[in-house]
Amino acid sequence: MDRTHFGQHSSSQFNEEMESIRSHLMEMGGLVEKQVIDALQALLHADSELAEKVITTEDRVDDLEKLIDSECARVLALRQPAASDLRMIIAVSKTVSDIERIGDESAKVARMAIQLAEEGESPRGYVEVRHIGNHVRTMLRDALDAFARFDADRAVQVAAEDNEVDLEYRSAMRSLVTFMMEDPRSISRVLNIIWSLRALERIGDHARNIAEQVIYLVKGKDVRHISVDEMEKQVRGKS
Amino acid sequence: MDRTHFGQHSSSQFNEEMESIRSHLMEMGGLVEKQVIDALQALLHADSELAEKVITTEDRVDDLEKLIDSECARVLALRQPAASDLRMIIAVSKTVSDIERIGDESAKVARMAIQLAEEGESPRGYVEVRHIGNHVRTMLRDALDAFARFDADRAVQVAAEDNEVDLEYRSAMRSLVTFMMEDPRSISRVLNIIWSLRALERIGDHARNIAEQVIYLVKGKDVRHISVDEMEKQVRGKS
């Protein structure tokens, strides 16, 4: 570990370290946002080359996860952050895991895009992919923006969107399963779409998790595992 | 926040707090281990009542996640842990998320068990569920044991098992998809098995994540996103 700062603790160094963590998190968030967009594009246009790009981006995302976690550990060890700085470190540490998993799920969508490019298009499901894909992509962008701007209200909105995505996902699944029963020869291709929708739905879940960390960061309240209504009350209430 | 200990920091109080975190983590781990076992049992024996029990256990798991995270935040704020104590807090904080998600995945298996009890048994897939289910259940137990005993070697073994589970999972999926094509009337029931296998495979991934945190805890090394061979080298090497 780099010890050059040790014993020369100053507030400006500390601020620089916190800023570095924050900016690496935003860089990582931007990368996976791009992964989600590209994976969707690759799936909708049977673009294997773009899909490969999504998959290779994973390495950089993974490296950033490790870098950010090591930066957080270093600040905890040497700077003993308190109050909102400590909440920032804790929220970042939880959030990097969710961002990394969004990268994973995008790579799954990309792999399905490659499969579909090889096997031939699915006869159904693209409308749903486009719709749910755009929805979770917006959720992710909003969750990251909310983190950057300490915007708890926007974070609550992201959580509310996740409930809608779940409904859309379930409805899409029902219609795709019905279609497979009517046209069994399409099963393998439709399943690629089903796996992609599943991955997109998970991306929505992770975006919601990020939003929950924003609320922890801003309000100091743990709003996991509660309803959106309850979350809203906690955010509006005195902190 | 309870401030009664503030300013009376003593080593024995600190040890008690660390012990409380550790024992809550083990309690949470034990709960989800039971959830996995019960969800499998419920699925294999079409036992809706047991499945409901798995689902209702989620609330306690969620509460423990929040409790443990708040204990960790408190120790970080008031005790400024260093070295191995700090690594313990960081590893616990990552691990609770994985344990909670294992609980989620078990609940998904339980919901599939209820579906299958209603729709009638799937004509295929139970052998695979039993086999992969037992595999990931052992991985989870070993990962939690490795955490309790600071056993990095066992943690490496868990990671190696995860690769095997992935192969078993892919093979099971191929045969179930083939079966669905031959017998389209079974699609809906077989899909319940497919979702369950997917959840079990995810449980294996989370067990591996826990194992990686054990290695971080014991060796101070971040072994995420590397091969099992590389992991083994890092664990055997000087720390």
Side-chain angles (χ1 to χ4, degrees):
Chain A
M1 189 186 281
D2 173 13
R3 293 277 178 180
T4 50
H5 291 299
F6 197 74
Q8 327 167 4
H9 181 184
S10 81
S11 157
S12 84
Q13 274 169 0
F14 175 66
N15 287 342
E16 266 171 41
E17 288 167 8
M18 293 297 287
E19 184 47 37
S20 167
I21 290 171
R22 222 188 60 89
S23 87
H24 282 139
L25 186 81
M26 288 302 128
E27 183 187 345
M28 188 182 175
L31 267 182
V32 300
E33 220 184 305
K34 188 78 171 50
Q35 275 186 302
V36 173
I37 292 168
D38 287 349
L40 277 172
Q41 185 79 358
L43 190 72
L44 293 171
H45 301 282
D47 185 341
S48 298
E49 210 176 306
L50 188 59
E52 292 291 355
K53 202 187 119 202
V54 172
I55 293 166
T56 54
T57 305
E58 269 204 291
D59 287 346
R60 258 184 80 204
V61 172
D62 293 347
D63 287 346
L64 275 167
E65 181 188 27
K66 288 176 155 196
L67 172 65
I68 294 166
D69 272 334
S70 74
E71 288 182 317
C72 287
R74 192 172 182 282
V75 164
L76 286 172
L78 302 182
R79 305 297 186 201
Q80 288 134 14
S84 68
D85 292 323
L86 178 57
R87 286 208 304 275
M88 172 61 92
I89 296 291
I90 292 172
V92 166
S93 166
K94 295 281 185 191
T95 296
V96 285
S97 301
D98 282 297
I99 296 180
E100 190 270 331
R101 279 160 195 176
I102 292 173
D104 272 358
E105 300 294 341
S106 312
K108 282 182 200 165
V109 174
R111 279 190 282 274
M112 293 304 122
I114 293 169
Q115 288 266 353
L116 283 165
E118 284 168 5
E119 292 180 26
E121 283 187 10
S122 166
R124 288 289 161 94
Y126 291 97
V127 173
E128 292 84 350
V129 165
R130 187 187 300 273
H131 182 68
I132 295 177
N134 281 331
H135 206 158
V136 299
R137 171 190 147 178
T138 306
M139 281 175 67
L140 173 58
R141 190 198 59 204
D142 288 350
L144 292 170
D145 275 1
F147 202 112
R149 297 173 193 186
F150 302 91
D151 186 340
D153 290 323
R154 197 155 178 189
V156 174
Q157 281 168 32
V158 171
E161 297 288 326
D162 189 39
N163 290 347
E164 280 177 45
V165 166
D166 289 350
L167 290 177
E168 289 163 6
Y169 168 74
R170 259 175 268 160
S171 151
M173 293 300 285
R174 271 193 303 272
S175 87
L176 290 173
V177 171
T178 305
F179 182 80
M180 284 196 293
M181 291 193 234
E182 286 162 6
D183 183 9
R185 289 161 310 161
S186 71
I187 287 178
S188 171
R189 285 169 294 148
V190 175
L191 272 177
N192 290 326
I193 295 286
I194 285 183
W195 294 129
S196 302
L197 286 172
R198 180 82 159 191
L200 293 172
E201 186 266 336
R202 292 296 295 152
I203 290 173
D205 289 344
H206 290 298
R208 180 187 172 131
N209 293 345
I210 295 171
E212 289 168 354
Q213 291 305 320
V214 172
I215 293 168
Y216 173 72
L217 176 64
V218 179
K219 299 284 178 179
K221 286 175 178 165
D222 187 341
V223 294
R224 293 176 296 182
H225 313 304
I226 60 177
S227 69
V228 173
D229 281 351
E230 186 54 42
M231 194 183 279
E232 208 151 13
K233 267 186 221 150
Q234 297 225 8
V235 167
R236 305 249 179 275
K238 56 180 190 288
S239 58
Chain B
M1 189 184 283
D2 174 12
R3 293 276 177 181
T4 49
H5 292 298
F6 198 75
Q8 328 167 4
H9 182 185
S10 82
S11 158
S12 84
Q13 273 170 1
F14 175 65
N15 287 344
E16 266 171 43
E17 288 168 8
M18 293 298 287
E19 184 46 38
S20 167
I21 289 171
R22 222 188 60 88
S23 87
H24 282 138
L25 186 80
M26 289 302 130
E27 183 187 345
M28 189 182 173
L31 266 183
V32 299
E33 221 184 306
K34 188 79 172 49
Q35 274 186 303
V36 173
I37 292 168
D38 286 348
L40 277 171
Q41 185 78 359
L43 190 71
L44 293 170
H45 301 282
D47 185 341
S48 297
E49 210 175 306
L50 188 58
E52 292 289 356
K53 203 187 118 201
V54 172
I55 294 167
T56 53
T57 305
E58 270 204 290
D59 287 345
R60 258 185 77 205
V61 171
D62 293 346
D63 287 346
L64 276 167
E65 183 189 27
K66 289 177 156 197
L67 173 65
I68 294 166
D69 272 334
S70 74
E71 288 181 317
C72 287
R74 192 172 184 280
V75 165
L76 287 173
L78 303 182
R79 305 298 186 201
Q80 288 134 14
S84 68
D85 291 323
L86 179 57
R87 286 208 303 275
M88 172 62 93
I89 296 292
I90 292 172
V92 166
S93 165
K94 294 283 186 190
T95 296
V96 286
S97 301
D98 282 297
I99 296 180
E100 190 270 331
R101 278 160 196 178
I102 292 173
D104 272 358
E105 299 294 341
S106 313
K108 283 182 200 166
V109 174
R111 278 190 281 273
M112 292 305 123
I114 292 169
Q115 288 267 353
L116 282 164
E118 283 168 6
E119 291 180 27
E121 284 187 9
S122 166
R124 288 289 162 93
Y126 290 98
V127 174
E128 292 84 350
V129 164
R130 187 187 299 274
H131 182 69
I132 295 176
N134 281 331
H135 207 158
V136 300
R137 170 190 146 177
T138 307
M139 281 175 67
L140 173 59
R141 190 199 59 205
D142 288 351
L144 293 170
D145 275 1
F147 202 111
R149 297 171 193 187
F150 301 92
D151 187 340
D153 291 322
R154 198 157 178 186
V156 174
Q157 282 168 32
V158 171
E161 297 288 327
D162 189 40
N163 291 346
E164 281 177 44
V165 166
D166 289 348
L167 290 176
E168 290 163 7
Y169 168 74
R170 260 175 268 161
S171 152
M173 293 300 284
R174 271 193 302 272
S175 87
L176 290 173
V177 171
T178 306
F179 183 80
M180 283 196 294
M181 291 194 232
E182 287 162 5
D183 183 9
R185 288 161 311 161
S186 70
I187 287 177
S188 170
R189 284 169 295 146
V190 175
L191 272 177
N192 289 326
I193 295 286
I194 285 183
W195 294 129
S196 302
L197 286 171
R198 179 82 160 192
L200 294 172
E201 188 264 336
R202 293 297 295 153
I203 290 173
D205 290 344
H206 289 298
R208 181 189 172 130
N209 293 345
I210 295 171
E212 290 169 352
Q213 291 304 321
V214 172
I215 294 168
Y216 173 72
L217 176 64
V218 179
K219 300 284 178 179
K221 287 174 177 165
D222 187 340
V223 295
R224 293 176 295 183
H225 313 305
I226 61 177
S227 70
V228 172
D229 282 350
E230 187 54 42
M231 194 184 280
E232 209 152 13
K233 269 186 220 151
Q234 296 226 10
V235 167
R236 304 249 178 279
K238 55 182 191 290
S239 59

